[in-house]
Amino acid sequence: MMKGDDIVSSCQSVFVGDRRVEIYVENGERYRRQGFAILCASAFIEHCLEKGLLPVWSCWDYEWNIASINPAQKLGSSKKKNVQVKYVRVGK
């Protein structure tokens, strides 16, 4: 989502597998807390569902990631479970 040359909000997937699509949404600093993340993520979710994909939202650290949790909950996501994550470093 653009306003002139400014990026207001963007939403994309960073992980896709088993027909699940991880949601990543980000707002430009001047455009936070104005509902743009909700609007942008809503369009992304609608597109995923039209393609037969299941959009999912994860928040890595519940305590500090309220900026991600609030829009996720407004869009119908709910806290399901904690899962263990392993990081793999490839190359240098």
Side-chain angles (χ1 to χ4, degrees):
M1 183 183 305
M2 302 287 294
K3 180 177 182 182
D5 291 334
D6 287 347
I7 297 173
V8 174
S9 188
S10 67
C11 187
Q12 64 264 345
S13 178
V14 289
F15 300 108
V16 179
D18 194 28
R19 305 209 52 86
R20 288 179 168 76
V21 179
E22 172 75 20
I23 296 172
Y24 176 78
V25 65
E26 183 175 14
N27 280 346
E29 197 168 326
R30 296 184 341 180
Y31 301 102
R32 293 181 183 159
R33 296 190 176 139
Q34 298 177 51
F36 295 118
I38 301 292
L39 184 61
C40 198
S42 292
F44 181 84
I45 290 167
E46 185 176 302
H47 179 76
C48 288
L49 295 173
E50 287 173 359
K51 300 294 181 187
L53 302 169
L54 177 64
V56 295
W57 202 306
S58 62
C59 299
W60 293 98
D61 188 337
Y62 188 83
E63 296 300 319
W64 68 267
N65 206 353
I66 297 300
S68 182
I69 293 166
N70 287 339
Q73 289 176 335
K74 288 178 183 176
L75 290 165
S77 186
S78 61
K79 186 174 181 183
K80 296 289 184 187
K81 62 181 175 179
N82 291 325
V83 295
Q84 185 178 25
V85 175
K86 294 183 181 182
Y87 293 93
V88 177
R89 181 179 223 161
V90 178
K92 293 182 180 182

